[in-house]
Structure formats: structure tokens, C-alpha cells
Amino acid sequence: MEGMRRKFSLEEYHHPTYCDKCEAVMVYKGLGEYQCESCGMLDYDDYGKVRNYLDVHIGANVAEISDATGVTHKSIRDMIKENRFKIINNNAGFLRCEMCGENIDSGRLCSKCEMLYHRKLEEEARENRKPTIEKGAGKDIQGDSGSKRFTRDR
């Protein structure tokens, strides 16, 4: 379960930092697209390359995408696990639920296991809150009960 909470850093998708043309800084525009702040040249990170390829070649498989874009199979698979893309016609079982092994088209869990996972997280959060609720507000304050906290000298 802990491995499912892993977040991917920008370095894993090979985002362009500096312009190949003029070596100025590339600014993120959204959806994997970067633009040079000096000359205006556009470049894409791995996500942008895959996204642009799939806009034109709907239903392409991972091998075709990888060959055309230069993005590794692992990166494409990670993007699918992050729900960035869905697999069409997952007959071969390219992606399986990490809990029960059922074929899925994106993400890490099937809908049934995802529901169970979130219920478990909610239950754990509820259990962690119980001790503070049972203590109550102000019950653990130390000191003289009923006495004034500050006195005014006249």
C-alpha cells in the first residue's frame, strides 16, 4: 500500500529546462508543453510527447508510442498508472490491479479494490482521531483548578 502513494518528480519525465536553440530558460505552459522565454521555441516533456502522439494516433500501443516518441515503456506505463491515459482493449492484461490482479485500463487498482483501500484509510484516520476526541478539550490542562491565571497588582 505504501508504494501507491509515491509521487513522480519532473525529472522522471525529462522536462526541458533550457532551450536547445538559445539556451534560455524554458517555462512550463501546461499539458507537458514548455516555451522558451527568450525565442518562443516550443518543446515537450515525455508526457507532452505521448499526449501529442495519441492525439493523432488514437489507440496506438505502448511499443508504437515508444518508438515514435523516444519515451521509455516504463515511463508510459507509469503515466497510465497515474491515470494520465487509459488503455483501449486491454485484452492482453498489460495492466493489472495491484491488490487482486484483475485487468484494468488505468491507475493502480480496480474500482472495487480502490473503494476498499479508501475505506481502510478513512477507518485508520477515524481510529487516529478517537484518542483526542475522548480526551476532550482542556481536560489535560495542568495547574490549580478554579484559580485565576493572572492577578492584577494595584
Side-chain angles (χ1 to χ4, degrees):
M1 291 287 200
E2 287 300 316
M4 292 173 38
R5 292 183 182 154
R6 180 175 175 249
K7 296 290 180 190
F8 294 93
S9 66
L10 291 174
E11 289 78 33
E12 291 187 55
Y13 289 143
H14 308 289
H15 75 287
T17 310
Y18 297 103
C19 179
D20 293 333
K21 199 169 164 183
C22 68
E23 296 185 8
V25 175
M26 299 294 281
V27 179
Y28 184 67
K29 303 299 279 184
L31 297 174
E33 183 177 291
Y34 295 79
Q35 187 172 22
C36 176
E37 67 181 7
S38 181
C39 71
M41 186 184 100
L42 289 177
D43 201 358
Y44 300 92
D45 62 9
D46 289 351
Y47 170 69
K49 291 174 187 175
V50 172
R51 188 176 191 287
N52 288 338
Y53 185 79
L54 287 174
D55 284 345
V56 177
H57 302 91
I58 298 169
N61 65 31
V62 174
E64 293 169 350
I65 297 167
S66 181
D67 290 343
T69 62
V71 178
T72 65
H73 288 254
K74 182 186 179 315
S75 291
I76 296 169
R77 185 182 191 98
D78 288 342
M79 288 179 215
I80 294 168
K81 285 184 175 186
E82 291 175 356
N83 286 319
R84 290 176 178 244
F85 304 108
K86 287 191 176 199
I87 298 173
I88 299 173
N89 300 329
N90 188 17
N91 297 333
F94 178 74
L95 203 58
R96 295 187 179 273
C97 173
E98 293 181 0
M99 288 177 69
C100 71
E102 183 180 324
N103 285 349
I104 54 176
D105 56 4
S106 70
R108 296 181 177 277
L109 303 173
C110 66
S111 57
K112 182 177 64 175
C113 291
E114 187 171 5
M115 185 175 62
L116 291 172
Y117 175 72
H118 287 290
R119 280 186 184 164
K120 183 179 178 194
L121 286 179
E122 289 172 5
E123 188 176 303
E124 288 173 1
R126 235 181 270 115
E127 288 298 317
N128 290 338
R129 280 194 309 260
K130 273 186 181 178
T132 57
I133 292 172
E134 290 170 357
K135 283 183 186 175
K139 286 187 179 178
D140 58 347
I141 294 176
Q142 304 277 329
D144 296 331
S145 141
S147 69
K148 292 183 181 179
R149 196 165 171 196
F150 299 102
T151 56
R152 193 176 287 174
D153 295 328
R154 291 190 184 211

